[in-house]
């Protein structure tokens, strides 16, 4: 695996193509450059979204108005939700790591439709700008929450339409990326890479892509119906026009529940790549993980009703939705057991990516198990729309996706930038972030059980103590986050040169130089083994 | 948290909580311990060569089937405790008409009494016939373990039996706009005869009222605006909320927008009456149209007069 035989080619970072400078990035169809474009856009939005979250937590540090007014707070949680969900976690891992690493992992030179891929990024930016324009154009910023529930979203005097339209445009980006990945995986795998020799991150992208393709149109249609109702006064959801608000909730969650799996499946994929690499042994139960990925993608379509247990559905529907929600927990549990078993008798290298992966397992278990409390009917009635749901959601989405993203960036950073980060600072940042995260979200479980509703600008004095702890946790977490990000940004410019394979991992991306050359592989490799067959390197290569 | 037994549903819900939290607590602690144990035991410095096990079908089957049985159990406990909440209320239930609007609750009793606090007798089934006037709200009484969304255009019903006297929080849990977090009131559960005494009295808000002197009209106006929720949006001390303050309102000169036209008016009885019955006709400049709905079906002519009398006193 020496890089000499690639040295005639320039790497993707320094490559000079048709356009120079920044245009060489904005108009590049290289999947790696597109991945980096997504990385920078998503990171910028994330920093803004996280800052909004911190301001909300500071507001909640004491009852009554602390640093802002109710209208501002309601606008903040709406913007925080829209940014985090539609601009960050839904595109997130597939857009950044999927784009960058899917072709490298399956031995391809690019995705199947490179220009469509670039178009997806442009559509993403357009959608983001339209959504964010709601903050500056027209009357007050939207204050409906990211769910845009009817009929409040029609009655509010705020500027809701651009936000909805933005979400609609972002949907197209999601659909095109999904389509691109499905074709890439079907058509461009290296010779010898049968389906069951494909690494697990591509598998998770494959499951995700199908959800993106099949579920996203529903939110598109729903949001168009909202636009039609607001502008043409056609009554779909507004009771004053003869519509049904609960229909809106059904349509919204038919997309938005599977969307949770769009977020979490690629995260599971990253973890499944990392654990074998750091334990130096094959993933335990490869087939079980593949099957559970596909099962989650499939059953995940039929559980949306669990967001509506108090909305007044029929008893039969409630029964079925609760039952299916419990069923979808099984494949997730199977994955957790397989991940743990992967560590069994491994040779575990405790490095930064592994710390993120191991803490992912912990927060993901809490997130998933608190989902069971919400999936059961009787306990759901008590906890629905309380701080418990917010805690659950942040454990699974921020904990799940966020930790996997962090694990991924610390794992693949040397490959992406050809440089190493300082692992001391990286580990310190992780420690602070992890402690802050638990301090921030754990008290919210208790607050919810005690009955504190969500989306509350103000609260009763009995909820004060736990809110203080939670707000302090938010500060600690953001402090840790700042260390992590500054460390990475510094490393991208000034880090020491990274070797081709710093972790001793086996998948194909580690066989090319860091950073990879424009065409990825000089010769497309032929695959003869399972992706995690660490026995071939035993014992001398990996005993160090 | 799960031992109180304040309503007829508490026990079932508490059992479901204890069963589910017990199972997941056990697994969370157990699996975390395994995770930490593996990391410590098999760290590279102690265990330099990894064993290349890649799967075990028996184990896969075991750890699919055991969680399956456990989740079926959790599902069952959740379902049995929930079923009675969805059942019809008993025949002898006392029906209270519950109206939710931005951003207050009002409760109308069978004898015509109207309150902003929910008064209920202990030990008797109470059924709330709920209605939302503007957007979706959700009635939530945590200690009774009940919650139900109230969707405008569809009547909703929930019922319960309170087990012990006391005063409990009642929240709105469906986000409904600016003052969502202040859409809170109290449930006062009174023992049988205390409730009867309150129910028979003229007093609309206070449980302990013993003196029954007819108050001046303006005093009734003051109570009325609290009861139907005007004060959720209009203050009486000069602070600005979503609607103009009442302080110094009567007799004031205001610029209002009628349709698209601006005009200058003086606030008088007629203007206040229009503002209550057709609130979006003349909007004071600088305030948002469409937030307030007509109170025509909640206030009669006599009550509107009392409110006007009260507003006159706020100079
Ligand atoms: Cu869901
Ligand atoms: Cu509300």
């Amino acid at each position: 695996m020496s890089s000499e035989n690639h040295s005639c080619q320039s790497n993707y970072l320094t490559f000079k193509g048709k356009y120079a400078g920044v245009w060489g990035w904005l108009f590049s169809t290289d999947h790696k450059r597109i991945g980096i474009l997504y990385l920078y856009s998503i990171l910028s939005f994330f920093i803004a979204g996280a800052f909004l979250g911190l301001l909300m937590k500071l507001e909640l540090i004491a009852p009554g108005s602390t640093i802002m007014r109710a209208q501002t707070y309601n606008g903040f949680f709406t913007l925080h939700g829209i940014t985090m969900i539609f601009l960050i976690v839904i595109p997130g891992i597939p857009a950044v790591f999927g784009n960058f690493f899917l072709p490298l992992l399956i031995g391809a030179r690019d995705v199947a439709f490179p220009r469509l891929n670039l178009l997806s990024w442009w559509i993403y930016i357009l959608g983001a700008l339209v959504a964010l324009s709601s903050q500056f154009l027209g009357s007050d910023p939207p204050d409906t929450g990211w769910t845009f529930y009817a009929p409040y979203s029609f009655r509010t005097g705020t500027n809701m339409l651009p936000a909805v339209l933005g979400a609609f445009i972002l949907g197209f980006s999601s659909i095109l990326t999904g389509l691109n990945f499905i074709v890439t995986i079907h058509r461009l795998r290296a010779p010898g890479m049968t389906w069951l020799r494909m690494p697990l991150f591509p598998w998770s992208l494959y499951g995700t892509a199908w959800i993106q393709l099949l579920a996203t149109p529903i939110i598109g249609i729903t949001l168009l119906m909202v636009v039609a109702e607001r502008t043409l006064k056609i009554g779909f959801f507004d009771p004053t026009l003869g519509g049904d608000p609960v229909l809106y909730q059904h349509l919204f969650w038919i997309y938005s529940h599977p969307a949770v799996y769009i977020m979490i499946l690629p995260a599971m994929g990253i973890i499944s790549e990392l654990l074998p690499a750091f334990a130096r042994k094959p993933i335990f139960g490869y087939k079980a993980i593949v099957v559970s990925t596909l099962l989650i993608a499939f059953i995940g379509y039929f559980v949306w009703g669990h967001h509506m247990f108090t909305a007044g559905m029929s008893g039969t529907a409630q029964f079925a939705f609760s039952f299916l929600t419990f069923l979808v927990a099984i494949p997730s549990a199977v994955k957790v057991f397989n991940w743990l078993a992967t560590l069994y008798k491994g040779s575990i290298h405790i490095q930064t990516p592994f710390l993120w992966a191991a803490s992912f397992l912990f927060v993901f278990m809490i997130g998933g198990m608190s989902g069971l409390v919400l999936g059961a009917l009787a306990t759901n009635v008590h906890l629905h729309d309380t701080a418990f749901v917010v805690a659950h959601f942040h454990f699974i989405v921020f904990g799940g996706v966020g930790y996997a993203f962090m694990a991924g960036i610390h794992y693949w950073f040397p490959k992406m930038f050809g440089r190493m980060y300082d692992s001391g600072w990286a580990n310190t940042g992780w420690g602070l972030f992890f402690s802050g995260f638990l301090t921030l979200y754990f008290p919210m479980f208790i607050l919810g059980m005690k009955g504190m509703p969500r989306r509350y600008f103000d609260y009763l004095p009995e909820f004060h103590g736990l809110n203080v702890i939670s707000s302090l946790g938010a500060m600690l977490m953001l402090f840790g986050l700042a260390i992590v990000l500054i460390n990475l940004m510094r490393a991208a410019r000034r880090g020491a040169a990274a070797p081709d394979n710093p972790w001793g991992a086996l998948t194909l991306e580690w066989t090319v130089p860091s950073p990879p050359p424009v065409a990825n592989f000089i010769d497309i490799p032929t695959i003869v083994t399972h992706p995690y067959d660490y026995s071939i390197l035993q014992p001398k290569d990996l005993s160090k | 948290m799960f031992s109180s037994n304040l309503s007829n549903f508490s026990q079932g819900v508490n059992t479901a909580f204890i069963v589910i939290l017990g199972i997941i607590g056990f697994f969370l602690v157990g699996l975390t311990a395994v995770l930490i144990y593996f990391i410590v035991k098999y760290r590279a410095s102690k265990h330099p060569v990894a064993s290349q096990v890649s799967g075990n079908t028996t184990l896969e089957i075991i750890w699919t089937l055991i969680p399956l049985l456990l989740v079926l159990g959790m599902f069952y406990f959740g379902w049995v405790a929930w079923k009675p909440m969805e059942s019809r209320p008993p025949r002898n239930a006392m029906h209270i008409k519950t109206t939710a609007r931005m951003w207050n609750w009002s409760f109308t009793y069978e004898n015509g009494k109207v309150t902003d606090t929910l008064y209920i007798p202990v030990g008797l089934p109470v059924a709330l016939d709920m209605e939302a006037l503007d957007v979706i709200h959700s009635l939530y009484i945590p200690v009774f373990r009940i919650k139900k969304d109230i969707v405008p255009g569809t009547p909703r019903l929930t019922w319960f039996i309170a087990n012990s006297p006391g005063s409990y929080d009642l929240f709105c849990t469906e986000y409904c706009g600016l003052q969502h977090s202040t859409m809170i009131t109290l449930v006062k559960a009174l023992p049988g005869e205390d409730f009867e005494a309150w129910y028979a009295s003229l007093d609309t808000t206070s449980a302990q009222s013993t003196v029954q002197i007819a108050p001046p009209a303006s005093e009734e106006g003051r109570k009325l605006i609290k009861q139907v929720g005007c004060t959720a949006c209009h203050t009486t001390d000069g602070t600005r909320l979503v609607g103009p303050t009442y302080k110094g309102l009567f007799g004031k000169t205001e610029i209002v927008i009628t349709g698209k036209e601006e005009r200058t008016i003086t606030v008088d009885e007629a203007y206040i009456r229009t503002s209550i019955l057709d609130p979006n006709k003349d909007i004071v400049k600088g305030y948002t149209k469409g937030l307030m709905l007509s109170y025509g079906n909640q206030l009669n002519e006599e009550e509107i007069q009392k409110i006007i009398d009260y507003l006159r006193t706020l100079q």
Side-chain angles (χ1 to χ4, degrees):
Chain A
M1 301 324 145
S2 73
S3 52
E4 272 105 85
N5 51 349
H6 295 292
S7 55
C8 47
Q9 264 192 320
S10 62
N11 75 52
Y12 84 100
L13 287 172
T14 54
F15 173 73
K16 300 240 180 322
K18 206 155 73 179
Y19 305 98
V22 71
W23 302 110
W25 283 85
L26 297 183
F27 293 120
S28 169
T29 55
D30 183 338
H31 67 100
K32 299 182 284 301
R33 287 201 167 187
I34 295 175
I36 299 283
L37 285 180
Y38 273 114
L39 174 67
Y40 286 145
S41 4
I42 284 175
L43 263 186
S44 324
F45 292 133
F46 175 69
I47 291 168
F51 198 64
L52 285 175
L54 177 69
L55 290 176
M56 281 153 62
K57 274 289 150 189
L58 290 180
E59 167 55 42
L60 290 180
I61 204 163
S65 174
T66 317
I67 57 165
M68 61 182 83
R69 293 151 52 100
Q71 186 67 42
T72 318
Y73 182 84
N74 296 347
F76 276 14
F77 74 63
T78 304
L79 184 60
H80 172 80
I82 294 174
T83 317
M84 289 297 194
I85 297 288
F86 293 108
L87 301 186
I88 297 156
V89 282
I90 289 182
I93 293 177
V96 178
F97 299 121
N99 264 313
F100 200 107
F101 288 104
L102 173 63
L104 285 164
L105 276 160
I106 62 171
R109 295 201 191 280
D110 206 323
V111 292
F113 308 114
R115 273 180 290 185
L116 191 65
N117 202 16
L118 177 64
L119 180 68
S120 309
W121 180 76
W122 278 101
I123 296 178
Y124 167 79
I125 292 296
L126 175 72
L129 291 180
V130 171
L132 295 179
S133 72
S134 62
Q135 299 297 313
F136 310 106
L137 305 177
S139 52
D140 290 329
D143 65 341
T144 59
W146 72 280
T147 49
F148 307 121
Y149 265 19
Y152 178 69
S153 56
F154 308 113
R155 290 180 41 89
T156 173
T158 58
N159 196 19
M160 215 264 302
L161 271 188
V164 171
L165 209 63
F168 177 72
I169 298 172
L170 288 164
F172 276 98
S173 169
S174 197
I175 292 172
L176 293 179
T177 304
L179 185 74
N180 215 338
F181 285 3
I182 289 176
V183 179
T184 307
I185 291 171
H186 272 273
R187 309 294 303 173
L188 298 182
R189 278 172 291 134
M193 184 178 278
T194 57
W195 283 97
L196 291 182
R197 281 185 191 157
M198 187 163 74
L200 287 164
F201 183 51
W203 260 116
S204 71
L205 290 174
Y206 184 71
T208 309
W210 277 110
I211 314 180
Q212 286 176 309
L213 204 62
L214 296 178
T216 315
I218 296 170
I219 191 80
I221 291 164
T222 313
L223 297 177
L224 271 192
M225 285 161 86
V226 170
V227 174
E229 179 157 272
R230 286 211 78 171
T231 53
L232 308 174
K233 302 281 170 235
I234 304 171
F236 294 116
F237 311 123
D238 188 347
T240 57
L241 298 171
D244 180 4
V246 178
L247 174 66
Y248 173 85
Q249 298 183 13
H250 275 291
L251 290 171
F252 183 83
W253 290 113
I254 287 176
Y255 166 70
S256 297
H257 189 80
V260 176
Y261 297 111
I262 295 183
M263 308 169 196
I264 199 72
L265 279 179
M268 295 168 152
I270 290 185
I271 299 304
S272 307
E273 289 299 327
L274 258 83
L275 294 178
F278 288 87
R280 304 292 197 266
K281 68 187 279 271
I283 187 89
F284 193 92
Y286 173 89
K287 280 187 199 158
I289 291 187
V290 170
V291 171
S292 59
T293 300
L294 298 177
L295 272 180
I296 290 174
F298 180 72
I299 307 176
Y301 277 111
F302 305 104
V303 300
W304 77 84
H306 66 208
H307 296 267
M308 301 164 59
F309 285 151
T310 65
M313 284 185 296
S314 79
T316 327
Q318 311 251 43
F319 180 95
F321 279 127
S322 171
F323 186 75
L324 287 165
T325 301
F326 275 104
L327 282 193
V328 82
I330 302 290
S332 302
V334 167
K335 276 180 192 267
V336 171
F337 293 130
N338 279 299
W339 287 328
L340 282 176
T342 302
L343 299 179
Y344 174 68
K345 289 196 172 170
S347 173
I348 299 170
H349 291 67
I350 304 171
Q351 288 162 303
T352 316
F354 180 79
L355 289 176
W356 284 105
S359 47
F360 165 94
L361 290 182
F362 181 66
V363 293
F364 179 75
M365 283 194 287
I366 296 183
M369 289 178 180
S370 58
L372 296 174
V373 189
L374 290 169
L377 289 164
T379 44
N380 177 284
V381 168
H382 179 59
L383 296 174
H384 179 72
D385 267 329
T386 65
F388 189 96
V389 175
V390 183
H392 156 71
F393 184 75
H394 282 82
F395 261 94
I396 207 93
V397 173
F398 189 21
V401 182
Y403 280 60
F405 194 97
M406 287 296 192
I409 192 89
H410 285 94
Y411 178 57
W412 280 314
F413 186 91
K415 182 58 62 189
M416 298 172 89
F417 295 94
R419 289 176 190 280
M420 242 357 249
Y421 49 84
D422 181 293
S423 58
W425 280 114
N427 295 349
T428 311
W430 165 80
L432 293 172
F433 184 96
F434 186 42
S435 336
F437 180 93
L438 297 179
T439 322
L440 161 54
Y441 295 115
F442 203 83
M444 294 174 76
F445 280 128
I446 306 170
L447 282 170
M449 292 206 192
K450 289 172 109 180
M452 179 176 153
R454 70 191 285 201
R455 293 175 169 174
Y456 260 33
F457 158 75
D458 190 6
Y459 52 81
L460 297 178
E462 68 228 49
F463 302 125
H464 191 187
L466 287 162
N467 269 300
V468 172
I469 298 176
S470 175
S471 301
L472 294 176
M475 293 181 222
L476 184 61
M477 186 184 80
L478 279 213
F479 183 55
L481 180 70
I483 293 180
V484 167
L485 292 181
I486 291 170
N487 185 42
L488 288 179
M489 286 192 276
R490 220 188 47 143
R493 294 170 160 271
R494 283 185 284 154
D500 290 355
N501 190 1
W503 317 116
L506 277 189
T507 36
L508 289 177
E509 78 272 34
W510 303 106
T511 63
V512 303
S514 308
V518 176
N520 296 350
F521 303 91
I522 297 237
D523 302 306
I524 296 294
T526 303
I527 310 301
V528 289
T529 56
H530 195 268
Y532 310 111
D533 196 359
Y534 280 86
S535 61
I536 58 167
L537 292 178
Q538 293 289 329
K540 67 172 177 26
D541 304 87
L542 293 171
S543 54
K544 35 178 167 141
Chain B
M1 216 181 288
F2 303 117
S3 54
S4 66
N5 185 20
L6 292 169
S7 85
N8 57 321
F9 303 122
S10 308
Q11 208 144 38
V13 179
N14 290 348
T15 310
F17 263 116
I18 291 164
V19 169
I20 297 174
L21 290 176
I23 295 176
I24 67 176
F26 172 79
F27 272 83
L28 182 65
V29 172
L31 293 173
T32 308
V34 170
L35 173 67
I36 294 171
Y37 176 76
F38 281 177
I39 295 176
V40 172
K41 176 137 193 239
Y42 301 121
R43 65 187 189 278
S45 55
K46 285 273 166 227
H47 197 253
V49 180
S51 114
Q52 298 298 308
V53 263
S54 65
N56 182 320
T57 314
T58 322
L59 268 179
E60 299 283 355
I61 293 171
I62 291 175
W63 66 44
T64 307
L65 286 183
I66 290 180
L68 182 66
L69 290 177
L70 287 173
V71 297
L72 290 180
M74 292 189 236
F75 164 75
Y76 173 78
F77 278 96
W79 179 62
V80 286
W82 166 84
K83 241 178 26 174
M85 300 182 193
E86 287 299 292
S87 61
R88 295 176 156 280
R91 286 263 183 74
N92 63 339
M94 175 174 147
H95 282 258
I96 302 173
K97 189 170 163 269
T98 302
T99 312
R101 64 185 299 160
M102 292 150 118
W103 291 279
N104 87 310
W105 299 97
S106 97
F107 305 96
T108 310
Y109 296 78
E110 278 156 345
N111 70 353
K113 242 170 136 76
V114 181
T115 64
D116 57 4
T117 304
L118 179 59
Y119 284 88
I120 51 164
V122 167
L124 272 178
V126 171
L128 304 180
D129 298 307
M130 304 187 291
E131 183 190 21
L133 296 183
D134 34 40
V135 300
I136 305 179
H137 300 276
S138 187
L139 180 130
Y140 178 35
I141 308 172
V143 293
F144 291 172
R145 307 284 188 234
I146 58 158
K147 177 181 292 138
K148 192 107 191 183
D149 295 2
I150 320 172
V151 180
T154 333
R156 288 284 148 95
L157 185 136
T158 190
W159 74 277
F160 55 86
I161 304 169
N163 285 342
S164 6
S167 169
Y168 313 112
D169 295 322
L170 184 160
F171 299 101
C172 171
T173 48
E174 183 62 61
Y175 175 67
C176 56
L178 186 65
Q179 309 268 47
H180 170 54
S181 62
T182 58
M183 198 166 155
I184 303 177
T185 184
L186 286 176
V187 181
K188 299 226 170 178
L190 304 177
E193 60 269 33
D194 290 6
F195 180 81
E196 287 307 327
W198 172 83
Y199 194 58
S201 76
L202 289 173
D203 182 42
T204 48
T205 49
S206 157
Q208 311 309 334
S209 166
T210 42
V211 200
Q212 309 240 331
I213 313 160
S218 67
E219 175 57 18
E220 285 182 40
R222 190 184 67 80
K223 278 188 181 163
L224 270 170
I225 64 160
K226 265 200 73 199
Q227 222 176 73
V228 297
C230 310
T231 45
C233 308
H234 305 273
T235 64
T236 52
D237 62 2
T239 330
R240 181 190 165 132
L241 291 179
V242 243
T245 180
Y246 290 149
K247 190 178 161 96
L249 181 66
F250 204 89
K252 195 174 168 193
T253 315
E254 293 267 31
I255 302 173
V256 298
I257 308 211
T258 311
K260 290 211 157 39
E261 243 173 82
E262 268 185 32
R263 48 193 200 102
T264 307
I265 53 118
T266 304
V267 177
D268 53 10
E269 283 201 32
Y271 176 75
I272 292 175
R273 196 164 276 118
T274 323
S275 295
I276 293 174
L277 297 175
D278 187 4
N280 295 309
K281 191 162 163 253
D282 307 308
I283 296 280
V284 178
K285 198 175 170 195
Y287 289 88
T288 311
K289 192 173 174 166
L291 282 179
M292 181 172 163
L293 290 186
S294 168
Y295 275 75
N297 50 5
Q298 272 191 308
L299 294 169
N300 58 33
E301 185 45 43
E302 195 187 332
E303 287 166 330
I304 293 177
Q305 193 54 52
K306 284 176 185 162
I307 290 176
I308 294 174
D309 289 343
Y310 171 60
L311 294 189
R312 275 182 208 278
T313 67
L314 286 174
Q315 287 310 318

